[in-house]
Amino acid sequence: MRATVSARVAVIGGDGIGPEVIAVAADVLTAAAHRHGLDIALDWWELSADRYLRDGIAITDEERDCLIRDYDAALLGALGDPRVPDHAHIRDILLGLRFHADLYVNFRPCKLLIPALSPLRDPDPATDIVFFRENTEGLYTGLGGRFKAGTTEEVATQESLNTYHGVERIVRAAFEHAAATGRGRVTLVDKANALVHEGALWRRVFAEVGAGFPDIAQDAMYVDAMAMDLVRRPERYEVVVTSNLFGDILSDLGAQVTGGLGLAPSGNINPGTWALFEPVHGSAPDIAGQGIANPLAAVGCVALALAHLEMNQAAADVDECIVASIREGVATPDLGGSATTSVVGDWMAARLRD
Ligand code: NAD
Ligand code: IPM
Ligand code: MN
């Protein structure tokens, strides 16, 4: 007899292609739950530029508290809309949830599922990198400001906040993940030759925490050289730990060398508590509304969410289904196919229900 496990998941479409890919993710989650006898309740939340422009508020404090308190996890499509040029709703919803729920791990796996997906000439089929991006500090806290804004004397500052506590917990999470999954190397990425203050803190903490993991190879790369090396020999990297902004940039690069943004999922995680899963990609206004967005990054988020909920067999089935859809050629144009977003979704949901 299969165990019935239950969970409550909030589903947020967001903007642009967000609602298109998250509709597929919800169908796949429902199908995977059905297959495994899991009781997963999905609630749809309208948090988007449309809602912000209509109501003048992106998310209330009560809504944020409710999401974090009453749900086991959330799935988010993407946020970003040209009608909100100051990105206020992204700050309040996405960054707001990251800060309020203290989602300090931004977990971004970039695995080359099929060698032909790589844009590189001679890719190593074993390429499989996980980025541990610090998600609550660095240049993202909003510290700083503008002086004499709008004049020719304007001054703008943006401060990078780095605490021992914040650095220690993300570095430890990276090492613990490496140890738990048998990965042999953890690489710190920073810019310690120029950003000397934060660099010194990250290097000290990396050495201190790393001393507890003597069986794991450890090295540090400057972010400029790392950008180069992720193209030259991405297979060298197994676990990468880095600051908020560098992790944002490098995870787009890591996604591209393993098949593109259409495939890259991510988890914003407070280990042991709440998590928000979202594709690495954004709202892609250039292709929104055309039905051609690749839903696989969002489906990959479903697999990450199921694993977070300890529904591991269902997570493995969803991952398997992603690879199968590509192998069968049921793929969107970014992967060289001609399927629409919903055709890919229907194919996956049917396969999981079989
Ligand atoms: P983007 O990731 O939206 O798009 C970059 C390029 O990749 C575009 O050419 C787009 O068409 C393509 N692309 C992205 N996802 C795809 C998919 N699933 N299938 C096929 N092609 C895909 O980045 P951008 O254009 O810099 O940002 C657009 C908006 O999204 C901005 O407002 C930005 O702030 C926001 N954004 C939000 C998130 C998020 O919500 N997590 C992440 C990144 C960017
Ligand atoms: C991401 C996005 C966000 C980030 C933006 C939309 C604020 O690019 O999740 O990668 O920079 O964290
Ligand atoms: Mn990003």
Side-chain angles (χ1 to χ4, degrees), residues 306-322:
L306 286 165
H308 176 77
L309 298 168
E310 298 182 340
M311 299 169 172
N312 293 320
Q313 192 51 51
D317 279 1
V318 171
D319 276 333
E320 191 274 333
C321 201
I322 290 173

Side-chain angles (χ1 to χ4, degrees), residues 272-291:
T273 64
W274 198 71
L276 166 72
F277 297 90
E278 48 156 0
V280 171
H281 67 69
S283 56
D286 56 336
I287 59 165
Q290 298 175 33

Side-chain angles (χ1 to χ4, degrees), residues 76-88:
L76 167 69
L79 293 167
D81 188 300
R83 295 170 300 164
V84 189
D86 67 357
H87 317 289

Side-chain angles (χ1 to χ4, degrees), residues 98 108 133 140 247-249 251-252 261 279-282:
R98 287 178 183 170
R108 297 193 153 184
R133 167 188 176 189
Y140 275 68
D248 176 47
I249 298 166
S251 56
D252 266 42
L261 280 176
V280 171
H281 67 69

Side-chain angles (χ1 to χ4, degrees), residues 18-350:
E20 303 172 36
V21 298
I22 218 68
V24 171
D27 281 352
V28 168
L29 180 53
T30 303
H34 176 79
R35 180 185 187 87
H36 289 277
L38 304 168
D39 172 23
I40 302 180
L42 303 188
D43 286 348
W44 292 82
W45 282 61
E46 192 201 1
L47 299 170
S48 61
D50 280 345
R51 186 261 168 103
Y52 174 62
L53 292 168
R54 189 188 65 224
D55 296 350
I57 185 153
I59 182 170
T60 65
D61 291 347
E62 292 72 29
E63 287 171 325
R64 201 160 42 211
D65 291 347
C66 172
L67 276 171
I68 297 167
R69 186 189 58 232
D70 295 346
Y71 291 86
D72 299 293
L75 278 174
L76 167 69
L79 293 167
D81 188 300
R83 295 170 300 164
V84 189
D86 67 357
H87 317 289
H89 72 304
I90 298 183
R91 184 195 60 226
D92 292 349
I93 302 168
L94 179 59
L95 302 183
L97 286 167
R98 287 178 183 170
F99 291 130
H100 278 264
D102 203 18
L103 306 175
Y104 64 90
V105 174
N106 196 324
F107 179 73
R108 297 193 153 184
C110 295
K111 181 175 162 70
L112 185 57
L113 300 174
I114 297 170
L117 292 170
S118 171
L120 303 179
R121 191 171 47 228
D122 186 20
D124 186 327
T127 304
D128 181 2
I129 312 165
V130 290
F131 290 90
F132 276 73
R133 167 188 176 189
E134 202 293 318
N135 213 30
T136 53
E137 299 193 341
L139 278 158
Y140 275 68
T141 64
L143 283 175
R146 292 166 77 195
F147 179 52
K148 298 190 180 179
T151 74
T152 54
E153 295 163 80
E154 179 165 343
V155 176
T157 64
Q158 198 86 48
E159 292 179 26
S160 178
L161 177 101
N162 298 264
T163 66
Y164 183 93
H165 170 70
V167 176
E168 202 270 347
R169 64 186 184 173
I170 188 69
V171 169
R172 186 168 297 284
F175 274 105
E176 285 176 351
H177 180 81
T181 57
R183 288 171 184 261
R185 176 185 300 277
V186 177
T187 303
L188 169 68
V189 177
D190 62 18
K191 187 65 186 169
N193 51 354
L195 309 181
V196 295
H197 307 307
E198 64 178 43
L201 173 61
W202 277 82
R203 294 230 169 182
R204 170 167 77 92
V205 173
F206 186 73
E208 276 178 21
V209 175
F213 297 86
D215 299 334
I216 295 177
Q218 313 176 11
D219 56 3
M221 292 285 291
Y222 299 126
V223 65
D224 47 353
M226 184 65 173
M228 174 279 298
D229 229 23
L230 279 173
V231 176
R232 182 172 65 152
R233 46 174 188 172
E235 68 281 0
R236 178 173 186 275
Y237 298 100
E238 298 179 51
V239 175
V240 173
V241 62
T242 190
S243 61
N244 209 335
L245 181 64
F246 295 158
D248 176 47
I249 298 166
L250 292 179
S251 56
D252 266 42
L253 183 47
Q256 189 56 45
V257 297
T258 50
L261 280 176
L263 286 173
S266 85
N268 302 269
I269 303 168
N270 183 330
T273 64
W274 198 71
L276 166 72
F277 297 90
E278 48 156 0
V280 171
H281 67 69
S283 56
D286 56 336
I287 59 165
Q290 298 175 33
I292 56 169
N294 189 341
L296 296 185
V299 174
C301 291
V302 169
L304 292 183
L306 286 165
H308 176 77
L309 298 168
E310 298 182 340
M311 299 169 172
N312 293 320
Q313 192 51 51
D317 279 1
V318 171
D319 276 333
E320 191 274 333
C321 201
I322 290 173
V323 177
S325 73
I326 304 169
R327 284 200 200 284
E328 294 288 323
V330 187
T332 44
D334 57 305
L335 296 183
S338 57
T340 62
T341 310
S342 59
V343 163
V344 175
D346 291 347
W347 187 90
M348 298 183 104

